[in-house]
Each structure stands twice: as C-alpha cells, then as structure tokens.
Amino acid sequence: MKIAFWFRRDLRYFGNEAFIEAVENGAQVALFFMCEQQWRDKHRMAPIQLDLIKRRVAYLGNKLAQFGIKMHIEVVDSFSDIPARLQAVCASYQIEEVYANKEYEVNERARDSECMSIGIALTLFDGDVIAKPGSVLTKNDEMFKVFTPFKKAWLKLFERQQFIIPRWPLEDKMITALRWSIPECLIGDSSSIKWPVDDESLAGVASHFVATKCVSYHAQRDIPSIKGTSGLSPYLAIGAISVKQLLAEVQCHYPDILQTPSREEFTWINELIWREFYRHLIVAYPSLCKYKNFNKKYDAVMWNDDDELFHAWCRGETGYPIVDAAMRQLNQTGWMHNRLRMIVASFLTKHLLVDWRKGERYFMEKLIDGDLASNNGGWQWAASTGCDAQPYFRIFNPITQSKKFDPDGDFIRTYVPELADVPSKFIHFPHEFITLASSINYLPAIVEHKEARQRALDAFKV
C-alpha cells in the first residue's frame, strides 16, 4: 500500500511520530497545501507567521529531498478546495492512504471530514499534544472547567512516564537524494528572517533554554526587558518543534520533574500544560473557535464600539507607557512578551471596555506565534469571559504593573523613545513630569484609571 504524509502545523520530521510511522511504512511523498488566502482572510494569519511557515516548508522540503522523500506543494484558495485536490494528487502518485496529524479547530476538522467523506483513506494522529483531547476528564467524564484540577489529572497520566523522541529511521541508511527547488509559492517577504528555521538552530535554542534558563524562568519570565522566556512559541505554533520533544529535553536535565511540580523548574512545564488545556477546550467546546464567550452570562456585557479608542490601543498611543511600549513591540517585531499580553488585554477589555474579540483578532494579525486555542484562551482569560478566567473585579492597574515588572523603565524606553529622558520615578505615568518638561512629546492618557475601573465593574456586574 502506497502511503503519503500530509504536513500541516507539524512542520518537522524530528519528533514527528506520525511522519516517522508513515516513512517506516514506505512513504516517499509528503504533501503540503498552501492555503494563503484562507489563512489571511478567514484566519487572520499574520504576514510574519506566513513568512515563517514558507521558510520552514522550504527548509523541510530540501531536508526531505536529501532522504529521497518528495515534498509536493499544492496551492489552494480555501480549505473547501482541498478534498478534490488531495484526491487528484493521490491518484497521480497512486497513493492509497494519507497519514496526518490532527488539527483541532472547527474549519480544519470539517476539512478532514470532507476528505474522508469522498473516500480518501485519512489516518489521523494526535501529534500536537501530549495528552489526547478527551483523555483528561473529570470523574463524570466531562472536560475540566478549571485549570488546576486539569493539571493534576494531566500529571497523574504522565508522572511516571519518561518521554523519548523516536529515532529518525533513515538517519543511517544509504539514500538516493532528490533535487529540490523552492517553489515560487514559498517565496515570502522575509519579515520573519530574524527567526531561524533550521533544525540545528531550533535544537540549540531549546537546549540552551532548558539547560541554562529553565531554572530561573519562574523569577525572570515576567520581566520584559530581559530574555527570560524560551523564545520557542513561534516554533510550537507552526509545529517546527514538538511539545513532547521539549518535555523530553526537560526530563533529561530533571528526570523527576513531573513528580515534583513544586520545584522552580516546573514553572515552564506549567505553561506547556496550559497550552494542552486550551487545546482540549476547543475540542470539547467548538464554539470557542467561533468567537463565542465560554461563560455565557457575559454575553450581556455592553462593549464599547469606539473605534478611536481601539485604534489608539492598536497604535500604542494610550498615554500609558507600559501599554504603549507593549503594543509597539508587537507592531514592530510581531511578538509580545507574555506578561505584557495580559496587561494590554486587560487594558483593552476593562479600561476601554472594547470587545475582547477585536483584540484577539488584532493579535492574530500581528503575532508570529499566533495560535487560535492559546490566543482565544488568553484573551477570554483577561476579559473574564473564559474558562477559569480572571474574575471580572480583578482589573490590572497598568501603572502598578509597570512599576512591578519594568521598575526602571528599561523596556518602556526601548519602544517609547520619546520618554527616554524621563526619570525612572515618573516613567510609569509621566504626565506630571511632562508638564514640567514641555519638550517631551507624549500623548495624554486616553482614560483615567479609577474612572475606567469603575466603568468596567459596573458593566460586568450586569
């Protein structure tokens, strides 16, 4: 039986168990569908992420050619075009079965169902998670609605398991290499060029973080002026590196990490479990993929439709330095520090009372690590509409947050250069100082904190 492998957001051959199984069963063709129009128009994919995908697919195609595996690229406008095109590709290569890793979003699941409905033998694996969705449930066989008990149940499944990445089966075999020329559809705009896509670099980033920074992650992860995070989120988002691979890397250094969640090194593992939690949620509650509030009672909140406020937030012109610096970082680099994502999301939904869906979409349009499950989960957490979300009455004070996590204003000065000469004492809310130093050109605050907080409390009490 001839087998092909269909790459999606699992753009790796190392640590890709489904792809390895396909190769061991004789697969010599790999498929990739370039759905640029759908990704851009319907999924709001950021140009920088699309460029990263193109560069990674080009790298992967060249790498697979060295192992005698052909990467076949198909360009389509939308997912609805894929079933017929896949059927035609299978016929041309005489392929009888297609292996692939599942994608859990509703459009992707509908696409796969349509492929199978027209007779394509599609074998799907759970390669984007450690725990298969539906395998971590309450005693009543329901999806957890609170993270902490989900984490405890998740750990119970894996606390005694040592993860091992399967060996690449063609590593030591004599292979007839194929010629690979990069198709025109994979030529991007180079906006992601600062993010390497080769396996050696990715392995180096992961190993360096786990070996040297994982131990200090709990103390440094909230400080945006230093590189205290892993920098791996873009690669997890496109599947260039697997979550199992990362967990195996941590276990190499800390073999009992899953049995000792109280230790400092576990803090980063906790983030990986949050990622699992949000993926399990979109499978259990598909309406999340359609921008629905998880907590229906907040459907009654009357959001502010003031586009002027929203666009000021988008541009980083709110008059709150930590918010403006974070938004400018996003606009300039395609990435934002995680602590800052919480601050700006809280500011938009609580201080400005702008619908979280607007912010969620804007993030997807800009982020190199845009991921529907995590992005939706994070925004609904900040807006208090989500599963195990922040209570509506807990509203971040952007000035207090700034003082706590950027005490000397180092991060602020990097992205709000007009405040470079403001003393640290005033950097977090510089308007009093600016009245004394008229040469500084910085916008006034678009809302007053205490008044905005009270408006949010009143709106959410409904």
Side-chain angles (χ1 to χ4, degrees):
M1 176 180 286
K2 276 196 170 183
I3 293 173
F5 186 81
W6 177 359
F7 279 104
R8 287 115 172 253
R9 287 206 172 206
D10 55 344
L11 299 176
R12 64 188 184 276
Y13 67 93
F14 182 73
N16 191 332
E17 295 171 0
F19 178 58
I20 289 171
E21 185 165 335
V23 170
E24 288 179 331
N25 284 312
Q28 294 182 313
V29 177
L31 311 173
F32 184 77
F33 287 89
M34 178 63 69
C35 309
E36 187 168 343
Q37 184 174 321
Q38 168 132 6
W39 291 336
R40 183 183 62 246
D41 297 344
K42 294 184 179 180
H43 295 185
R44 309 286 183 132
M45 181 183 287
I48 190 172
Q49 186 178 81
L50 179 60
D51 186 63
L52 186 72
I53 288 172
K54 289 180 177 181
R55 290 174 53 232
R56 179 62 185 179
V57 172
Y59 170 82
L60 197 57
N62 182 62
K63 200 75 177 176
L64 294 182
Q66 296 173 23
F67 294 112
I69 298 172
K70 177 181 174 61
M71 175 73 92
H72 180 95
I73 311 290
E74 283 283 321
V75 179
V76 296
D77 291 335
S78 70
F79 287 174
S80 62
D81 300 326
I82 290 178
R85 294 285 282 276
L86 177 58
Q87 195 172 48
V89 170
C90 287
S92 67
Y93 286 103
Q94 298 180 319
I95 293 166
E96 299 170 79
E97 187 174 6
V98 177
Y99 284 18
N101 280 306
K102 291 178 184 176
E103 292 181 299
Y104 302 113
E105 298 83 359
V106 291
N107 288 340
E108 286 79 353
R109 292 166 72 182
R111 171 204 62 200
D112 290 348
S113 294
E114 179 61 24
C115 287
M116 290 186 275
S117 73
I118 64 171
I120 296 170
L122 187 58
T123 301
L124 298 173
F125 299 76
D126 289 282
D128 189 42
V129 288
I130 296 172
K132 178 181 177 181
S135 65
V136 185
L137 300 173
T138 68
K139 292 179 179 179
N140 295 326
D141 290 330
E142 296 176 348
M143 175 59 196
F144 286 94
K145 296 181 181 179
V146 179
F147 173 71
T148 300
F150 172 88
K151 179 178 74 172
K152 290 179 179 178
W154 188 96
L155 285 171
K156 194 171 182 179
L157 279 178
F158 300 111
E159 61 184 352
R160 300 298 174 192
Q161 183 169 336
Q162 194 74 23
F163 287 91
I164 299 172
I165 298 303
R167 191 169 179 273
W168 176 235
L170 303 183
E171 199 166 312
D172 300 322
K173 294 185 179 179
M174 294 294 292
I175 301 293
T176 303
L178 303 175
R179 294 184 63 185
W180 167 256
S181 343
I182 299 177
E184 189 175 340
C185 67
L186 296 183
I187 305 299
D189 55 22
S190 297
S191 58
S192 69
I193 198 67
K194 291 184 179 179
W195 296 84
V197 295
D198 62 285
D199 289 336
E200 293 75 15
S201 295
L202 302 196
V205 171
S207 297
H208 177 71
F209 173 78
V210 172
T212 65
K213 291 186 175 183
C214 192
V215 67
S216 59
Y217 176 77
H218 75 288
Q220 298 184 345
R221 63 178 179 146
D222 285 323
I223 305 173
S225 60
I226 63 175
K227 291 185 177 180
T229 60
S230 69
L232 294 168
S233 57
Y235 305 117
L236 277 170
I238 68 170
I241 193 166
S242 82
V243 67
K244 283 185 181 179
Q245 180 181 344
L246 295 177
L247 187 49
E249 185 85 35
V250 177
Q251 286 181 320
C252 285
H253 292 267
Y254 312 103
D256 63 341
I257 190 68
L258 297 183
Q259 292 94 57
T260 54
S262 60
R263 63 188 298 168
E264 294 173 345
E265 296 86 357
F266 186 84
T267 305
W268 189 58
I269 300 296
N270 206 56
E271 297 304 310
L272 299 181
I273 302 175
W274 268 106
R275 181 180 183 272
E276 298 263 303
F277 182 57
Y278 286 140
R279 272 160 173 66
H280 286 228
L281 278 174
I282 66 169
V283 174
Y285 303 97
S287 63
L288 293 174
C289 298
K290 300 176 182 179
Y291 302 106
K292 303 294 184 182
N293 289 328
F294 179 86
N295 195 330
K296 299 299 180 186
K297 72 179 180 181
Y298 291 116
D299 290 349
V301 173
M302 299 295 292
W303 298 106
N304 187 347
D305 288 328
D306 189 331
D307 282 340
E308 201 170 309
L309 289 177
F310 174 63
H311 292 303
W313 175 86
C314 292
R315 294 190 300 267
E317 296 177 353
T318 69
Y320 285 84
I322 195 68
V323 175
D324 293 345
M327 294 306 297
R328 295 182 196 185
Q329 180 188 42
L330 174 64
N331 293 333
Q332 292 172 30
T333 71
W335 186 82
M336 187 191 291
H337 189 279
N338 187 58
R339 166 56 59 173
L340 301 180
R341 297 186 197 203
M342 292 189 282
I343 293 172
V344 302
S346 177
F347 188 87
L348 183 71
T349 57
K350 303 294 176 63
H351 282 72
L352 304 184
L353 268 180
V354 171
D355 194 329
W356 65 267
R357 283 161 276 241
K358 288 187 175 181
E360 194 268 359
R361 287 168 183 156
Y362 189 76
F363 265 31
M364 288 300 289
E365 291 168 358
K366 294 291 182 179
L367 284 172
I368 192 169
D369 61 358
D371 170 274
L372 187 144
S374 296
N375 193 46
N376 182 290
W379 270 95
Q380 292 220 50
W381 181 89
S384 303
T385 63
C387 182
D388 198 12
Q390 179 170 244
Y392 78 89
F393 49 82
R394 288 183 59 191
I395 299 171
F396 281 178
N397 181 330
I399 302 170
T400 304
Q401 291 282 309
S402 183
K403 289 177 179 178
K404 184 175 182 180
F405 299 115
D406 191 29
D408 297 319
D410 295 335
F411 178 79
I412 289 171
R413 290 186 180 90
T414 300
Y415 289 99
V416 190
E418 60 265 40
L419 299 180
D421 296 328
V422 173
S424 298
K425 178 181 177 181
F426 299 99
I427 193 72
H428 309 288
F429 196 69
H431 303 289
E432 181 181 338
F433 178 81
I434 289 173
T435 60
L436 303 174
S438 58
S439 60
I440 297 175
N441 183 24
Y442 184 59
L443 293 168
I446 57 175
V447 291
E448 196 277 326
H449 168 66
K450 288 184 179 179
E451 292 177 359
R453 183 180 185 279
Q454 189 57 52
R455 278 196 302 271
L457 291 174
D458 293 340
F460 275 81
K461 280 178 183 176
V462 174

